[in-house]
Amino acid sequence: MIRQLRLSSGLVMLAYVTMHLLNHAVGLISLRAMDEVLRYVVGIWSNYPAQTLLYGSFLVHYGLSLWALWERRSLRLRASELSQIVLGFAIPILLARHVVGTRIASDFFHADTGHYTLLLWTFFVNAPSHGYLQMLVLVIAWAHAMIGLHFWLRVRPWYARLQSPALAVAVLVPVLSLLGMIEAGRHVAALAAADPDWTRQAFAQMTLPSPETQRALDAITKALTRLFVGVVAAVLLARLGRRIWQRRHGLVRIGYPDGRFVEVTPGTSVLESSRIAGIPHAHVCGGRGRCSTCRVRMRGEVHGIDPPGPDELRVLRRIGAPANIRLACQLRPRGPVEVTPLLPPFAQAREGRQRVGVSLGSEREIAILFADIRGFTALSEGRLPYDVVFVLNRYFSAMGRAIDAAGGRVDKFIGDGVMALFGIEGGTQAGCREALAAARLMSERLGELNFSLQAELDRPLRIGIGIHCGPVIVGEMGYGNAAAITAIGDAVNTASRLEGLTKEYDCELVVSEETVRRAGFDLSAFPHHDIEIRGKREMLTVRTLDRATNLPHPGTAPSRPTKPMKANAAV
Ligand code: FES
């Protein structure tokens, strides 16, 4: 609730600031256009509901920011996080004069202060120091909003793709706004310099603040500035007092895997304690409880731990975390606790979206599919590298889409082969059905691909597919950007060998009978073979299909085989 309120109130103010800055940018066209657009902007924001929303959002956002400052036990933060806090609290202090000189002057003193001509004359002719301050606060407010927006969006899967255009917009808006202000300000200054009577004429129709009103406005500005500075100072002092008091009443010990421990005041989050001790700890969302990259496993006896709140619970459920896994940024122990960070310190948002069981490694029964292009080496001989890459990419794209459509996960492309996993989340039965559906789809897509590539290929592409199911270890393996969820185990090796057998049986699909049985398919009409598996006593029964398109759709009768055969082989 607090998080949502803070976010929504911030978004309301961002909408207001964006309109304001774009209005400034219109100064690049003309002063008149600026004032025209201002009329619309004021029309949107000057009615009672909009003003209640805007001022209410400011109060909520500011109040919650003070609360967040109080809640933090440490200000050892990344530069971007620290600057967002500092900039955020600087905005009302720096903006007080402008707000009092425009909104309060007009709403409570009936002064005509909301005109660009007057404001720009003030900023560029009468009091340039106010103009510099105004430009500074414009940049500060925008930077604060953009950092907040970045931390909010960076956990979204699509954000990485939009980051470059978003950065361009984030830079362009304030730059155009400043340029608009400067251009229009220079125009006003030139008019005022060219004609000494211009000021009198320009302001003749406006009700300007009287000297008494101006004194009252100055007093309000001073009082507001002191209030904003005082409130922040009070929270910082209160934090200091709490720290001294808590240190006298005992510290909490937080242990880490390599024997290191940190003693912190009660209520300090585990993420904060990592920062205090200089222990690298992933925290993509900056400790806002959104990304789950800070997740930790609690070890041993646990005392003095509050259960997760609704926001944390939602994230923990999303990643399938058991009870002993918590978000370090939300976990504020009041008693000793031993924790193990579960993701590397340089983890990205993508890793935060992975479910706990899968990324950490667990034994699961899944279906594994291997596919390979038959005779691709001969096919690629004498071709330009460009042609080979083109054909391969078309093939990978067609196979990848078929696997995705069937509900599988492409594990990797190896040379001209592909490995895919099915049933990681849905279980073995579903995985076996999906794997067989994928084989049929792959065969269909290959037919379409061959048709569209007939001008480029001497002969159609052929594939061999092997499918098996069984217990494997699934987890994230690899290093850096090359780390990904994959599976290892006998079942993987067997599936790979079944794919190799497609050459021997001159067929498109070799699937283990166990997979067929678990999928609930009836392939009794197709040839079967009992094969030996190295290192195992039992034979493995497999079915062979000339074309995977002969696989039945679930719930339908199987197609007839085109070439029955039976043989024994060792794999
Ligand atoms: S840092 Fe993102 S959830 Fe804890």
Side-chain angles (χ1 to χ4, degrees), residues 6 65 68-89 144 147 151 154 236 239 268-279 281-288 328-329 332:
R6 199 164 163 199
S65 302
L69 182 63
W70 163 254
E71 279 283 284
R72 282 184 189 279
R73 297 315 202 263
S74 162
L75 290 180
R76 284 193 200 188
L77 302 166
R78 282 191 295 217
S80 54
E81 292 159 19
L82 192 60
S83 42
Q84 202 210 5
I85 294 174
V86 173
L87 297 179
F89 285 119
H144 170 77
I147 296 172
F151 278 123
R154 69 186 301 190
L236 290 174
R239 280 167 45 99
T268 305
S269 76
V270 171
L271 180 63
E272 285 172 328
S273 79
S274 300
R275 284 164 164 171
I276 290 168
I279 296 171
H281 200 141
H283 56 293
V284 167
C285 72
R288 289 162 174 79
C329 63
R332 297 181 180 276

Side-chain angles (χ1 to χ4, degrees), residues 396-446:
F396 286 145
S397 159
M399 298 302 108
R401 278 188 279 117
I403 290 163
D404 285 348
R409 173 197 283 260
V410 174
D411 181 279
K412 54 178 81 76
F413 292 109
I414 321 148
D416 56 36
V418 55
M419 170 181 167
L421 310 176
F422 298 84
I424 291 179
E425 302 296 345
T428 332
Q429 266 87 355
C432 292
R433 279 194 298 274
E434 290 166 2
L436 288 169
R440 183 163 33 75
L441 268 177
M442 287 164 79
S443 185
E444 285 170 10
R445 299 275 158 86
L446 188 72

Side-chain angles (χ1 to χ4, degrees), residues 3 78 81 151 155 271 275 281-295 312 315 318 326-331:
R3 211 167 69 185
R78 282 191 295 217
E81 292 159 19
F151 278 123
V155 300
L271 180 63
R275 284 164 164 171
H281 200 141
H283 56 293
V284 167
C285 72
R288 289 162 174 79
R290 293 188 193 126
C291 65
S292 93
T293 53
C294 65
R295 60 182 79 163
E312 185 185 355
V315 176
R318 191 184 72 210
R326 295 287 300 269
L327 300 183
C329 63
Q330 307 299 310
L331 178 61

Side-chain angles (χ1 to χ4, degrees), residues 495-557:
S496 166
R497 288 166 186 176
L498 295 192
E499 179 264 307
L501 274 182
T502 56
K503 288 181 209 151
E504 197 165 318
Y505 294 141
D506 190 24
C507 63
E508 193 171 65
L509 173 64
V510 176
V511 54
S512 64
E513 185 69 14
E514 179 65 10
T515 306
V516 174
R517 189 184 63 75
R518 299 256 188 140
F521 277 43
D522 175 11
L523 298 188
S524 55
F526 292 92
H528 76 276
H529 311 272
D530 294 321
I531 59 172
E532 283 176 16
I533 299 287
R534 273 190 207 115
K536 301 230 172 185
R537 263 192 239 139
E538 311 88 46
M539 302 286 275
L540 180 74
T541 304
V542 298
R543 296 274 169 188
T544 58
L545 281 79
D546 286 349
R547 297 290 317 278
T549 42
N550 291 338
L551 278 165
H553 289 269
T556 61

Side-chain angles (χ1 to χ4, degrees), residues 11-223:
L11 288 175
V12 170
M13 287 190 289
L14 176 61
Y16 177 78
V17 170
T18 308
M19 282 193 205
H20 213 59
L21 298 201
L22 292 178
N23 197 165
H24 291 352
V26 178
L28 287 169
I29 301 170
S30 73
L31 184 59
R32 182 191 289 265
M34 250 177 140
D35 270 323
E36 281 292 312
V37 175
L38 181 63
R39 283 224 309 276
Y40 290 106
V41 175
V42 169
I44 293 171
W45 290 101
S46 64
N47 59 72
Y48 187 69
Q51 292 216 335
T52 310
L53 181 68
L54 182 62
Y55 296 138
S57 294
F58 167 73
L59 289 176
V60 166
H61 201 73
Y62 191 71
L64 292 179
S65 302
L66 286 171
W67 174 251
L69 182 63
W70 163 254
E71 279 283 284
R72 282 184 189 279
R73 297 315 202 263
S74 162
L75 290 180
R76 284 193 200 188
L77 302 166
R78 282 191 295 217
S80 54
E81 292 159 19
L82 192 60
S83 42
Q84 202 210 5
I85 294 174
V86 173
L87 297 179
F89 285 119
I91 294 168
I93 297 170
L94 298 175
L95 208 55
R97 178 173 293 281
H98 180 63
V99 174
V100 171
T102 52
R103 301 297 340 146
I104 292 184
S106 119
D107 292 348
F108 295 97
F109 294 90
H110 310 294
D112 253 347
T113 48
H115 295 274
Y116 268 111
T117 312
L118 175 63
L119 290 172
L120 292 170
W121 176 79
T122 308
F123 294 158
F124 287 83
V125 179
N126 193 37
S129 61
H130 291 183
Y132 296 137
L133 185 68
Q134 205 51 39
M135 289 193 224
L136 177 70
V137 79
L138 178 156
V139 174
I140 286 177
W142 188 254
H144 170 77
M146 289 304 105
I147 296 172
L149 213 54
H150 173 67
F151 278 123
W152 174 45
L153 294 179
R154 69 186 301 190
V155 300
R156 314 273 158 158
W158 45 263
Y159 182 59
R161 274 181 280 123
L162 289 188
Q163 216 163 344
S164 303
L167 180 64
V169 172
V171 173
L172 266 181
V173 170
V175 168
L176 290 176
S177 178
L178 285 173
L179 289 176
M181 256 180 99
I182 292 168
E183 180 61 25
R186 286 175 53 188
H187 179 61
V188 168
L191 289 173
D195 178 3
D197 206 32
W198 177 85
T199 315
R200 192 185 56 75
Q201 286 172 8
F203 303 152
Q205 303 301 317
M206 300 181 197
T207 312
L208 299 181
S210 65
E212 296 78 45
T213 302
Q214 194 54 57
R215 272 196 292 280
L217 292 175
D218 287 344
I220 295 171
T221 303
K222 208 175 278 178

